[in-house]
Amino acid sequence: MTSVSTRPSFHSAHLASQPAAGFADVLVGLQYGDEGKAKIIDALAPGYDVIARFNGGANAGHTIDTPSGRIALKQLPSGVFHPHAMLYIGSGCAINPWKLADEIEQLREMGISLEGRLRISARAALVQPHHIAMDRRASGMIGTTGNGIGPCYADRAMRVRNDTRVNLMLGDLLANEADTVASMRNVFTCMINAEGGTSPWIAEMSDMLLSLPKVSETLRDYIETDRGWLIDRVRHGANVLFEGAQSVLLDVVDGSQPYVTSSHTVPAYAYVGGDLSPKYHRRTIGVAKAIMSRVGRGPFPSELGGERSAQYCHDASQKSVGAAEEQVRCTAEQLLRSDDPFDVGIALRILTGEYGTGTGRPRRIGMLDLAQLREVVKAHGVDCVYLNKVDCLSHYFHSAYQGIPMRVHRDVLSTDPLPDVLIYPGLNEHSLALGREGALDAAMHGFVDFVERHIGAPLAGIGLGPERASLITLAAHAVSPVTSASPRV
């Protein structure tokens, strides 16, 4: 008879001696950006030990309204107002050191210190002056923010140009600051000379290079050279919330070329640019908004006014026409009652403040596109969705629509003659007013059920205003906070 040893194996004994590992959730925007991701991050942050960024750079503006004040973050993770949470910027990000130093100083003036809380991967790409100059020169066609992010990522892939290394990383400032500054100056000078020395940004970029040593001194204590910094914390029980910068429809591969951002925005990339193994993934959280918008050029199926709106917003951006000019020139309430969707789009932009956080550019406005959301939810395995700006749907009741227009999925084989756009009549201003007080009536529950059925995912919460208190959590599907004592790393 064969005997079986009861002595525990080395593997099982080793596991028993280890603390329980943590997990990572990934939060991404499901549309074209500006969905209010920072607001949801701010609400969920108490349940996590680390809030981390994994892509993008200063081309993203995340606005947070809190009792401590309002701030538009560009590169810092949106957990800054939660002292318990560590903040991590991963290697997939493109860092503008000048703007990051300004952001840190802005928070310091608000009484918020990041000492001992902020870690930035030394392998994050370094935005250089020539990147900004190149982006500004070519930003018109695509509609980029001119922050140099695309050229920075391009140089990361290029590695060397004209026998000069161009894929500089943040850690290079630590290793050899003088050589790093000299390299930047050399590349920028070569670019200017190739253009005949006529660039309008020579003085500005030269000043940036002169100030870089002071800026790098500000950032020095935050730079993390240990590639395993985040994974070590998760292995010992820390829970991470990854924050996507731009949104999934703008992914450099998955989006509609060429009208995309220059980084990977899909949730799977969190485990590349965020420096963590995907084995720790728990769930994917999506954020959308009921009044859709898009900055820059590119497809927008539910846009109010179609190509007219797209061209108008492009021209306004080129002429630096923003909120102030539109409010003086247009009467929102009058435009809202127009039979022309183009006019309704302008009215909604003014009434809902849909202008770029970082640029002030007018955003193109569209109706809620449930068909598009369904495709995105399916493609990226989104587990639950937060829907912001639901309160803004009340403006439609004063429009010619007399209800909420939404784009919905129709079976291509169906003989149903109805168009892809329907007017949802089942919600009213009274329901929205009750919702702002935290009470959801039957009409609001009906709206939530309608949206869930069309997008194929549960709603975890709805936003009825910009403030923290205006986020209504739908208990059945909300993201559960961490209830066990987790390490504060």
Side-chain angles (χ1 to χ4, degrees):
M1 182 174 67
T2 304
S3 62
V4 178
S5 172
T6 58
R7 185 170 68 89
S9 67
F10 170 79
H11 181 67
S12 60
H14 177 70
L15 289 178
S17 67
Q18 296 295 309
F23 58 79
D25 291 343
V26 184
L27 183 144
V28 292
L30 302 180
Q31 296 161 325
Y32 299 103
D34 307 304
E35 299 95 344
K37 296 181 288 293
K39 173 184 175 179
I40 307 303
I41 293 279
D42 186 56
L44 298 180
Y48 298 87
D49 304 297
V50 183
I51 312 297
R53 288 277 292 269
F54 63 87
N55 75 304
N59 56 340
H62 294 180
T63 303
I64 308 175
D65 289 277
T66 78
S68 303
R70 181 181 230 208
I71 187 169
L73 300 172
K74 303 292 181 60
Q75 298 179 94
L76 289 170
S78 299
V80 295
F81 289 101
H82 298 271
H84 79 275
M86 291 291 291
L87 309 172
Y88 183 69
I89 301 177
S91 62
C93 297
I95 302 298
N96 180 316
W98 299 272
K99 290 195 172 185
L100 183 55
D102 286 345
E103 229 172 294
I104 292 171
E105 181 57 33
Q106 185 180 354
L107 284 169
R108 186 179 292 116
E109 291 174 357
M110 295 177 69
I112 298 169
S113 173
L114 300 181
E115 301 297 329
R117 293 181 58 203
L118 174 64
R119 306 310 298 162
I120 313 166
S121 171
R123 304 181 76 81
L126 189 59
V127 174
Q128 303 168 56
H130 75 275
H131 294 149
I132 298 171
M134 291 171 66
D135 198 13
R136 289 181 184 176
R137 185 177 59 196
S139 63
M141 176 185 173
I142 300 174
T144 70
T145 61
N147 278 287
I149 309 303
C152 179
Y153 281 124
D155 272 356
R156 169 171 273 191
M158 181 79 75
R159 295 154 290 163
V160 173
R161 187 174 347 115
N162 297 327
D163 296 324
T164 300
R165 180 185 166 207
V166 289
N167 67 328
L168 298 177
M169 299 184 292
L170 194 59
D172 291 317
L173 285 175
L174 278 181
N176 197 322
E177 180 183 293
D179 283 355
T180 301
V181 174
S183 177
M184 288 184 181
R185 187 180 301 278
N186 179 54
V187 174
F188 181 65
T189 301
C190 289
M191 186 185 81
I192 296 302
N193 290 339
E195 295 176 349
T198 58
S199 172
W201 304 295
I202 293 177
E204 180 186 351
M205 301 304 154
S206 296
D207 288 343
M208 290 174 68
L209 288 168
L210 288 172
S211 66
L212 187 55
K214 181 180 178 181
V215 167
S216 62
E217 190 60 34
T218 299
L219 301 181
R220 185 172 298 276
D221 291 340
Y222 302 112
I223 299 176
E224 180 56 63
T225 57
D226 180 5
R227 298 173 67 180
W229 183 89
L230 186 58
I231 196 168
D232 285 344
R233 275 146 185 79
V234 176
R235 286 176 59 194
H236 287 85
N239 299 321
V240 179
L241 180 57
F242 280 115
E243 171 185 18
Q246 289 78 22
S247 299
V248 297
L249 292 177
L250 300 177
D251 184 87
V252 66
V253 172
D254 202 47
S256 299
Q257 288 289 341
Y259 307 107
V260 294
T261 193
S262 48
S263 63
H264 289 287
T265 63
V266 296
Y269 191 70
Y271 298 100
V272 179
D275 310 315
L276 184 67
S277 167
K279 69 183 286 186
Y280 297 108
H281 179 71
R282 184 180 72 153
R283 74 173 74 192
T284 299
I285 305 162
V287 184
K289 62 180 178 182
I291 302 289
M292 288 184 64
S293 69
R294 177 166 191 170
V295 168
R297 292 182 176 274
F300 191 177
S302 68
E303 185 168 10
L304 292 167
E307 182 55 35
R308 285 175 60 205
S309 169
Q311 188 62 49
Y312 169 87
C313 290
H314 173 72
D315 293 343
S317 175
Q318 297 300 301
K319 299 174 183 176
S320 299
V321 173
E325 292 81 5
E326 281 201 330
Q327 289 170 2
V328 169
R329 192 172 66 238
C330 306
T331 303
E333 290 75 14
Q334 181 177 340
L335 290 177
L336 192 64
R337 294 190 292 272
S338 170
D339 292 330
D340 188 342
F342 173 75
D343 291 338
V344 175
I346 295 177
L348 288 174
R349 178 166 51 252
I350 295 172
L351 293 169
T352 62
E354 283 290 346
Y355 299 87
T357 302
T359 63
R361 295 183 295 180
R363 296 172 181 152
R364 299 156 59 189
I365 303 299
M367 66 189 79
L368 180 57
D369 193 334
L370 300 180
Q372 189 181 69
L373 271 179
R374 185 179 187 88
E375 294 173 1
V376 172
V377 164
K378 179 182 178 181
H380 300 291
V382 177
D383 295 294
C384 61
V385 175
Y386 285 86
L387 184 63
N388 281 322
K389 284 207 166 186
V390 173
D391 56 310
C392 295
L393 293 174
S394 62
H395 295 301
Y396 280 122
F397 299 118
H398 303 281
S399 73
Y401 290 106
Q402 294 295 299
I404 303 168
M406 288 184 274
R407 185 171 177 265
V408 297
H409 173 74
R410 300 288 188 188
D411 190 329
V412 293
L413 298 179
S414 173
T415 58
D416 188 344
L418 291 176
D420 287 346
V421 175
L422 62 76
I423 307 299
Y424 183 82
L427 197 59
N428 54 59
E429 290 184 278
H430 177 67
S431 299
L432 292 168
L434 283 176
R436 282 189 285 270
E437 298 174 2
L440 303 188
D441 63 6
M444 183 64 82
H445 280 295
F447 171 76
V448 169
D449 180 66
F450 178 85
V451 171
E452 289 180 335
R453 284 188 290 107
H454 276 82
I455 69 174
L459 292 185
I462 53 176
L464 295 171
E467 306 82 9
R468 279 181 176 175
S470 70
L471 179 64
I472 308 301
T473 299
L474 303 177
H477 306 301
V479 176
S480 302
V482 180
T483 54
S484 59
S486 58
R488 299 304 181 194
V489 293

mmCIF file of all heavy atoms in Angstrom, residues 411-418:
data_model
loop_
_atom_site.group_PDB
_atom_site.id
_atom_site.type_symbol
_atom_site.label_atom_id
_atom_site.label_comp_id
_atom_site.label_asym_id
_atom_site.label_seq_id
_atom_site.Cartn_x
_atom_site.Cartn_y
_atom_site.Cartn_z
ATOM 1 N N ASP A 411 -31.308 46.148 -34.358
ATOM 2 C CA ASP A 411 -30.843 44.935 -35.020
ATOM 3 C C ASP A 411 -30.822 45.168 -36.535
ATOM 4 O O ASP A 411 -31.834 45.570 -37.127
ATOM 5 C CB ASP A 411 -31.791 43.773 -34.679
ATOM 6 C CG ASP A 411 -31.234 42.426 -35.130
ATOM 7 O OD1 ASP A 411 -30.516 42.387 -36.147
ATOM 8 O OD2 ASP A 411 -31.510 41.422 -34.448
ATOM 9 N N VAL A 412 -29.683 44.919 -37.164
ATOM 10 C CA VAL A 412 -29.557 45.197 -38.597
ATOM 11 C C VAL A 412 -30.497 44.330 -39.430
ATOM 12 O O VAL A 412 -30.806 44.661 -40.575
ATOM 13 C CB VAL A 412 -28.100 44.978 -39.076
ATOM 14 C CG1 VAL A 412 -27.181 45.992 -38.456
ATOM 15 C CG2 VAL A 412 -27.621 43.567 -38.777
ATOM 16 N N LEU A 413 -30.947 43.228 -38.867
ATOM 17 C CA LEU A 413 -31.849 42.343 -39.609
ATOM 18 C C LEU A 413 -33.318 42.677 -39.352
ATOM 19 O O LEU A 413 -34.209 42.082 -39.940
ATOM 20 C CB LEU A 413 -31.580 40.878 -39.217
ATOM 21 C CG LEU A 413 -30.177 40.356 -39.525
ATOM 22 C CD1 LEU A 413 -30.035 38.905 -39.063
ATOM 23 C CD2 LEU A 413 -29.862 40.466 -41.014
ATOM 24 N N SER A 414 -33.533 43.653 -38.457
ATOM 25 C CA SER A 414 -34.900 43.988 -38.097
ATOM 26 C C SER A 414 -35.584 44.772 -39.213
ATOM 27 O O SER A 414 -34.955 45.543 -39.939
ATOM 28 C CB SER A 414 -34.902 44.812 -36.801
ATOM 29 O OG SER A 414 -36.202 45.284 -36.519
ATOM 30 N N THR A 415 -36.902 44.567 -39.346
ATOM 31 C CA THR A 415 -37.691 45.337 -40.315
ATOM 32 C C THR A 415 -38.328 46.552 -39.644
ATOM 33 O O THR A 415 -39.115 47.260 -40.262
ATOM 34 C CB THR A 415 -38.801 44.444 -40.907
ATOM 35 O OG1 THR A 415 -39.622 43.940 -39.829
ATOM 36 C CG2 THR A 415 -38.202 43.297 -41.685
ATOM 37 N N ASP A 416 -37.971 46.790 -38.374
ATOM 38 C CA ASP A 416 -38.498 47.934 -37.632
ATOM 39 C C ASP A 416 -38.096 49.226 -38.348
ATOM 40 O O ASP A 416 -36.909 49.504 -38.521
ATOM 41 C CB ASP A 416 -37.915 47.916 -36.215
ATOM 42 C CG ASP A 416 -38.575 48.958 -35.320
ATOM 43 O OD1 ASP A 416 -39.229 49.867 -35.856
ATOM 44 O OD2 ASP A 416 -38.427 48.855 -34.087
ATOM 45 N N PRO A 417 -39.055 50.049 -38.763
ATOM 46 C CA PRO A 417 -38.726 51.261 -39.528
ATOM 47 C C PRO A 417 -38.249 52.415 -38.655
ATOM 48 O O PRO A 417 -37.857 53.451 -39.171
ATOM 49 C CB PRO A 417 -40.054 51.608 -40.199
ATOM 50 C CG PRO A 417 -41.083 51.127 -39.219
ATOM 51 C CD PRO A 417 -40.510 49.861 -38.619
ATOM 52 N N LEU A 418 -38.298 52.275 -37.341
ATOM 53 C CA LEU A 418 -37.918 53.377 -36.461
ATOM 54 C C LEU A 418 -36.439 53.710 -36.637
ATOM 55 O O LEU A 418 -35.616 52.832 -36.883
ATOM 56 C CB LEU A 418 -38.201 53.007 -35.005
ATOM 57 C CG LEU A 418 -39.680 52.893 -34.604
ATOM 58 C CD1 LEU A 418 -39.789 52.422 -33.167
ATOM 59 C CD2 LEU A 418 -40.386 54.221 -34.773
#
